[in-house]
Amino acid sequence: RPPPGAAGDLAALAELDEAALLGGLRERFLRQLVYTGVGDILIAMNPFQPLPLYGKEVAERYRHHQTGMLPPHIFAVASRAYHAMLGRRGGGPQNQCIVI
């Protein structure tokens, strides 16, 4: 069983309060997992070191992945928004907004 906060989506925790959120973020940061999901929100933490997060092979993995099949990543957010904008997620094209 993974330690508390190790989940990629903190919204799945039984209790989501400030302590659980900060503890989960800390645990993931220590494991060099700088992206964490909280429902539809992606939290990105500065790793203060170079990590192999943005190469071509990483981008290709996230291009057509299903939500929840890969760890949280900015490429997943971009892919979901792009495909929803084109109407590929069902229900026709939808306007998208990403706040950074």
Side-chain angles (χ1 to χ4, degrees):
R1 180 175 163 189
D9 186 353
L10 295 182
L13 294 175
E15 289 187 36
L16 183 58
D17 56 16
E18 183 178 0
L21 179 67
L22 294 176
L25 290 173
R26 182 179 191 283
E27 173 68 30
R28 291 182 58 76
F29 180 83
L30 293 174
R31 294 173 54 215
Q32 295 185 331
L33 300 170
V34 298
Y35 289 116
T36 303
V38 183
D40 288 336
I41 298 169
L42 179 70
I43 298 174
M45 296 176 285
N46 185 343
F48 300 103
Q49 63 180 307
L51 295 176
L53 297 174
Y54 306 108
K56 197 172 216 174
E57 65 283 347
V58 177
E60 284 301 316
R61 275 189 302 201
Y62 283 91
R63 184 178 298 262
H64 296 291
H65 83 289
Q66 290 194 358
T67 302
M69 299 305 289
L70 292 173
H73 198 285
I74 191 66
F75 290 163
V77 172
S79 179
R80 280 194 313 269
Y82 178 73
H83 291 289
M85 179 183 71
L86 295 178
R88 295 182 183 163
R89 299 277 180 190
Q94 298 174 348
N95 292 332
Q96 299 295 304
C97 177
I98 298 174
V99 177
I100 298 176

